[in-house]
Amino acid sequence: MNGHLLELKNITQKYGRGARRITAVENVNLTVDEGEFVALLGPSGCGKSTLLRIITGLNRPAEGQVLYRGQPLNGVNPHATIVFQTFALFPWLTVQQNVEVALKARGIPPEQRAERSVALLDMVGLDGFETAYPRELSGGMRQKVGFARAMAVEPELLCLDEAFSALDVLSADSLRGELLELWTSGVMPTKAILMVTHNIEEAVFMADRVVIMDKQPGRVIADRKITLPHPRQRKSPEFLEVLDRVYALLAGQTQPEYIELGTAPGEAGRTRALPDVSVGELAGLLEFLDEMPGDRTDVYRLEHELGLGTTAVLHLTEAAELLGFATIAKGDIALTPLGETFAEASILARKEIFATRIRRLPMFKWLLAMLNATDKRRLDRDVIRLALELEFSPEDAARQVELAIDWGRYAELLEYDDSEEIIYQELPEAVAG
Ligand code: ADP
Ligand code: MG
C-alpha cells in the first residue's frame, strides 16, 4: 500500500498542435502526504495551474500517472477541490444560497443544508452576512464565500490557485490567517493543502514544504521542508532566515555567501561596492528580459535595446546577478525564477523581494546594525560616508551612501530626511509609545 495521499509520477503535459506544440510541464514527480501543507512556487507559465488541473482530474496528462491514495486517477477527483483567484458566485443568490448550492451538489438533504451553510460561513468569519448578495460584499468577503463553498465539499485535498492574489493586502492577510487557523486547529476535515502562490513570504508563512518550479519547460527544481512552528512570526530572525533560503533557491544561488557578497565595511576582506544603478533601472532591465522570447539574451544586445552605455549595462547586469535576479554565462544573461517573479510582481511584492535580497548584503547588514546601535535609530549621512571613506575614494564613498539610501528606501528598510541629511528608521510602536 502506497502511503502518499497524492503522487505524481513523471507527469508531462503538452498544449497546442504541430509547430506550435509546447511542453507546459515535463517529467514532474511530486508527492503530498496527509497532514502536509505544500506551497508551489514559480514564475508565471511554469505550469502550476496545469499541475492543479491534472491533480484534480480536470485535465489528463500527456504522459505519466496520478495516484490518489495509491490508486490511478480516472476522471475528476471527487476528493479534491480548487479555490481560484476569483470566485464565480451566482449574483442572484444570497451568500448562504451560494454555499447551499455546493451542499446540494454533494447530495446533502435539503433540511440539513441551511444549518451547514450557516456553520461554514461562520467558520470563514462571515456570520451576519448570510442574506447579503455578492454585489454587496467586498472582494475579500466574496473570496471568503468562495472558501466556504470549497469547504462545503469537504475536500480531502484542498488546492489553492493564487487564491489570495486578487485581494487587497488586508483582506488577503485576514483570509490567510483564517485558513491557517482552521488548518492548524484541525477543525477542517481537509487532509492536505496544495497552495500555488507567487508570494514567497506567504508560502513561508503558511506551508510545511515549498516546492519550487522553473519554466521552459515547467519542472520542479527544489523541494524543501519548513519546520518553523505555528504561529510564525514574520519578523523573527528564524523566519527571515528560512525566507532567505527560499529566495536563494529561487535565485539558483550556488556560491557561498561570503565569496559572493564580500564583507562589511570595517571587517577584514573586500567590501563589495553596491553596483551603481537605481532600483528603477534594475526593474526596467528585469522587465525587459522577462518580455524577451526565449530564456537567454546576449548581454551586448542590451546596450542597443535599452539605449545604455557599456558601463551602465555592466553595472545593471552586475546588480541583477548580485541580487540573484539573473545569471550570466558565456555572454548571455538569463533571469532566475526569482528575477521572473520580481518582474511580474506587484509593487508591494517587489519591495518585499528587494528587501529580502539586500538585507543579506554586508553593506546593508552593517548599515542596519549601525542604525540599531543608536538609541533613536538616527544616523548622520556624513557618519556613514566617512566610515566608507576608509575603504573607498571620497567620490565613491559618497556615491555608495546615495545608493544605499536609494535601495534602502525602496525596500522600506530605512528612511531618509533630505533636509537634515539623516538616515533613520521609525521606532517600533511599542518602543515609541
Ligand atoms: P502557471 O499557472 O504556472 O502560470 P500554466 O499552467 O497556466 O502556468 O501554463 C503553463 C504553460 O502552458 C504556459 O506556457 C501557458 O502559456 C501554457 N498553457 C496553459 N494552458 C494552455 C492551454 N489551454 N492551451 C495552450 N497553452 C496553454
Ligand atoms: Mg496559473
Side-chain angles (χ1 to χ4, degrees):
M1 165 85 197
N2 183 316
H4 304 298
L5 185 65
L6 173 78
E7 184 170 11
L8 300 185
K9 285 180 150 176
N10 303 313
I11 294 288
T12 293
Q13 183 68 311
K14 300 183 184 208
Y15 292 113
R17 305 200 166 275
R20 314 188 76 172
R21 195 153 170 83
I22 64 145
T23 302
V25 295
E26 190 169 74
N27 213 7
V28 169
N29 291 289
L30 180 70
T31 60
V32 178
D33 290 349
E34 273 195 36
E36 269 192 318
F37 188 147
V38 180
L40 199 54
L41 280 169
S44 287
C46 71
K48 303 179 297 291
S49 297
T50 295
L51 283 185
L52 290 191
R53 284 199 298 273
I54 289 171
I55 287 165
T56 50
L58 296 175
N59 288 157
R60 290 179 68 91
E63 289 163 38
Q65 212 183 17
V66 182
L67 297 179
Y68 191 81
R69 292 196 179 281
Q71 301 299 314
L73 185 66
N74 274 313
V76 173
N77 184 345
H79 306 292
T81 300
I82 308 184
V83 177
F84 294 98
Q85 194 177 79
T86 50
F87 240 92
L89 300 176
F90 301 116
W92 60 89
L93 297 181
T94 64
V95 163
Q96 183 177 332
Q97 287 164 339
N98 263 286
V99 179
E100 286 181 11
V101 169
L103 293 168
K104 184 176 176 194
R106 262 190 70 210
I108 305 291
E111 62 277 11
Q112 290 180 21
R113 286 179 212 155
E115 194 185 327
R116 283 228 201 168
S117 61
V118 169
L120 285 161
L121 287 167
D122 194 27
M123 197 162 87
V124 296
L126 277 181
D127 44 325
F129 289 92
E130 293 82 0
T131 57
Y133 285 89
R135 64 169 183 278
E136 300 172 58
L137 305 180
S138 67
M141 290 161 89
R142 279 200 291 270
Q143 192 69 344
K144 286 185 178 187
V145 181
F147 266 97
R149 211 161 70 178
M151 301 314 301
V153 182
E154 300 201 344
E156 285 186 334
L157 176 61
L158 177 63
C159 300
L160 310 178
D161 197 349
E162 306 195 24
F164 307 106
S165 63
L167 302 176
D168 61 274
V169 178
L170 287 180
S171 309
D173 252 353
S174 99
L175 201 47
R176 273 183 207 120
E178 222 105 40
L179 175 67
L180 207 52
E181 198 174 317
L182 291 175
W183 169 249
T184 52
S185 66
V187 175
M188 281 201 308
T190 294
K191 301 277 192 285
I193 299 180
L194 181 57
M195 174 175 81
V196 165
T197 176
H198 253 100
N199 185 325
I200 302 162
E201 201 207 25
E202 174 179 298
V204 175
F205 186 65
M206 300 179 81
D208 309 312
R209 225 175 99 203
V210 289
V211 173
I212 295 172
M213 295 180 69
D214 198 0
K215 65 180 178 185
Q216 289 174 341
R219 62 200 189 280
V220 173
I221 57 167
D223 188 334
R224 293 286 188 289
K225 281 197 156 45
I226 298 176
T227 53
L228 296 170
H230 289 287
R232 294 176 181 165
Q233 308 298 328
R234 287 192 155 94
K235 302 287 171 207
S236 74
E238 299 78 24
F239 185 89
L240 292 175
E241 198 188 311
V242 175
L243 192 61
D244 227 42
R245 282 212 299 274
V246 174
Y247 274 95
L249 289 172
L250 276 155
Q253 184 183 308
T254 47
Q255 292 244 48
E257 299 236 318
Y258 64 93
I259 294 179
E260 199 184 22
L261 303 178
T263 57
E267 281 177 11
R270 193 175 72 97
T271 301
R272 183 161 176 174
L274 301 176
D276 194 342
V277 300
S278 72
V279 180
E281 291 166 329
L282 180 61
L285 170 73
L286 301 179
E287 282 164 19
F288 172 79
L289 292 174
D290 191 47
E291 277 160 24
M292 290 296 283
D295 55 355
R296 316 199 70 81
T297 305
D298 288 317
V299 173
Y300 73 81
R301 280 188 56 191
L302 294 175
E303 284 182 35
H304 177 70
E305 301 272 357
L306 299 173
L308 293 172
T310 309
T311 319
V313 166
L314 284 178
H315 286 154
L316 266 180
T317 52
E318 185 195 346
E321 199 173 35
L322 174 68
L323 296 172
F325 293 144
T327 53
I328 298 164
K330 298 192 185 119
D332 286 343
I333 182 165
L335 286 182
T336 62
L338 185 65
E340 286 167 14
T341 304
F342 182 93
E344 290 158 14
S346 67
I347 291 180
L348 265 180
R350 281 185 176 188
K351 282 174 179 280
E352 177 75 44
I353 294 172
F354 197 75
T356 308
R357 294 313 282 172
I358 67 172
R359 241 187 332 242
R360 21 188 301 281
L361 302 180
M363 178 78 86
F364 277 94
K365 280 192 178 153
W366 170 74
L367 189 54
L368 295 175
M370 296 266 287
L371 271 170
N372 242 319
T374 63
D375 21 308
K376 297 229 166 97
R377 303 225 178 145
R378 290 164 64 86
L379 279 172
D380 253 322
R381 177 195 182 114
D382 269 347
V383 171
I384 299 296
R385 185 177 55 79
L386 290 172
L388 288 175
E389 280 189 14
L390 298 175
E391 307 210 22
F392 297 99
S393 72
E395 302 80 60
D396 287 349
R399 182 64 189 141
Q400 286 295 303
V401 179
E402 275 179 55
L403 289 167
I405 292 173
D406 176 53
W407 291 21
R409 266 178 148 177
Y410 175 82
E412 296 181 10
L413 290 179
L414 53 84
E415 300 183 65
Y416 181 63
D417 182 331
D418 206 28
S419 58
E420 303 215 23
E421 306 207 327
I422 297 279
I423 298 169
Y424 68 101
Q425 278 179 325
E426 292 292 352
L427 288 171
E429 266 163 43
V431 180

